[in-house]
């Protein structure tokens, strides 16, 4: 009888030990406690995943119908801690590879520190605070391809204007962007950790232009010209990082 009681006591102790709750929040001991990153946008030229995002967290600019440069029709920007995602549409009647013979220049202007008192390039936006410009082509090698720009840093006067000698080349940064699209629609990502001038702020602003023959024919954000604003300039697009 004593042997039976002893066996039951040992069994009870084993059961208690096995049922002890994990004090590590259900995560494996010694494992990575960080949640796995799931990229919200896949850069593949299929844009369905944009519709799955919270629209309130997407920064959007549409061309003003009365603006003077309307080849860019729409741009959307969604930023998380890993990437900045960009989607844009252009007017196929104004933009084509055939019209530009070699390529279609596309520029991204980033106010990376979010400070309107630094940077420059008053030529296309009222806040004139671009720190870094990306210059690449929608049709590299004569076909619609990935966006692989060269990068330039603003070194001119704060809130100044003009091209030369205000931009300093930073060269190419492998992997900083990846793009894909179809005629008239395109998406690309910017890898935040490769941003070349300091850390890309949580709140920053951004602008875009598309060109034919090295002349801007589409700018976003834009505005209708007025007597006080004959160029139809607007502030750059404000972006808030989703965390």
């Amino acid at each position: 009888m004593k042997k039976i009681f002893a066996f039951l006591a040992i069994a009870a102790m084993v059961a208690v030990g096995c049922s002890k709750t994990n004090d590590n929040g259900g995560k494996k001991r010694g494992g990575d406690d960080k949640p796995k990153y799931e990229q919200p946008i896949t850069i593949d030229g299929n844009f369905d995943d944009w519709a799955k995002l919270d629209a309130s967290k997407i920064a959007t600019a549409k061309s003003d119908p009365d603006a003077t440069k309307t080849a860019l029709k729409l741009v959307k920007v969604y930023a998380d801690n890993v990437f900045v995602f960009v989607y844009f549409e252009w007017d196929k009647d104004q933009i084509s590879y055939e019209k530009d013979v070699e390529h279609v220049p596309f520029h991204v202007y980033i106010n990376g520190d979010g400070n309107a008192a630094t940077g420059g390039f008053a030529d296309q936006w009222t806040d004139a605070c671009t720190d870094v410009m990306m210059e690449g082509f929608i049709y590299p090698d004569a076909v619609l391809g990935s966006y692989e720009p060269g990068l330039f840093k603003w070194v001119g006067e704060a809130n100044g204007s003009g091209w030369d000698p205000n931009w300093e080349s930073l060269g190419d940064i492998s992997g900083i962007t990846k793009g894909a699209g179809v005629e008239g629609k395109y998406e690309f990502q910017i890898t935040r950790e490769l941003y070349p001038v300091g850390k890309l702020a949580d709140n920053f602003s951004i602008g875009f232009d598309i060109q034919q023959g090295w002349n801007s024919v589409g700018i976003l954000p834009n505005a209708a010209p007025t007597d006080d604003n004959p160029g139809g300039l607007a502030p750059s697009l404000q972006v808030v990082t989703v965390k």
Side-chain angles (χ1 to χ4, degrees):
M1 192 67 159
K2 290 182 179 179
K3 290 182 179 180
I4 294 174
F5 283 130
F7 173 79
L8 293 174
I10 293 172
M13 292 173 65
V14 171
V16 170
C18 290
S19 64
K20 186 176 181 180
T21 57
N22 187 341
D23 60 1
N24 197 31
K27 299 172 182 175
K28 293 181 179 179
R29 292 185 181 274
D32 187 357
D33 288 348
K34 293 182 180 179
K36 182 180 178 181
Y37 175 73
E38 295 183 5
Q39 187 167 326
I41 298 293
T42 301
I43 304 301
D44 56 4
N46 183 334
F47 313 113
D48 292 346
D49 41 9
W50 282 88
K52 299 176 183 178
L53 299 176
D54 183 343
S56 68
K57 297 179 180 179
I58 302 174
T60 303
K62 295 181 179 180
S63 182
D64 190 304
D66 295 323
T68 57
K69 298 177 180 180
T70 58
L72 274 180
K73 300 193 298 182
L74 170 70
V75 66
K76 297 180 179 181
V77 182
Y78 180 87
D80 64 17
N81 286 327
V82 181
F83 296 109
V84 176
F85 299 97
V86 178
Y87 167 85
F88 64 94
E89 299 178 3
W90 67 89
D91 183 348
K92 292 184 289 184
D93 291 334
Q94 296 188 58
I95 295 293
S96 71
Y97 168 75
E98 290 80 5
K99 288 182 179 180
D100 202 352
V101 181
E102 295 182 14
H103 38 233
V104 175
F106 185 83
H107 295 94
V108 183
Y109 302 81
I110 305 174
N111 170 24
D113 60 6
N115 185 352
T118 63
F121 199 58
D123 305 56
Q124 296 187 159
W125 293 279
T126 56
D127 40 2
C129 51
T130 298
D131 303 311
V132 171
M133 175 186 67
M134 297 181 172
E135 180 179 78
F137 307 104
I138 302 303
Y139 293 86
D141 302 319
V143 294
L144 194 65
S146 186
Y147 186 61
E148 298 177 357
L151 285 88
F152 299 81
K153 178 176 69 172
W154 179 265
V155 293
E157 180 182 351
N159 304 132
S161 61
W163 285 94
D164 295 326
N166 292 318
W167 298 101
E168 176 184 293
S169 176
L170 299 172
D172 300 332
I173 299 177
S174 178
I176 191 170
T177 59
K178 175 184 177 182
V182 297
E183 293 291 339
K185 299 180 180 181
Y186 199 88
E187 63 183 354
F188 65 94
Q189 65 188 32
I190 301 171
T191 303
R192 294 184 78 113
E193 69 176 4
L194 296 179
Y195 184 72
V197 179
K199 181 180 179 181
L200 186 59
D202 288 342
N203 298 343
F204 63 95
S205 65
I206 194 166
F208 309 89
D209 77 19
I210 196 167
Q211 300 188 343
Q212 293 272 224
W214 293 108
N215 293 310
S216 295
V217 292
I219 298 172
L220 280 177
N222 62 17
T226 64
D227 291 341
D228 295 331
N229 182 18
L233 304 187
S236 53
L237 183 64
Q238 297 294 317
V239 181
V240 178
T241 299
V242 177
K243 293 187 173 183

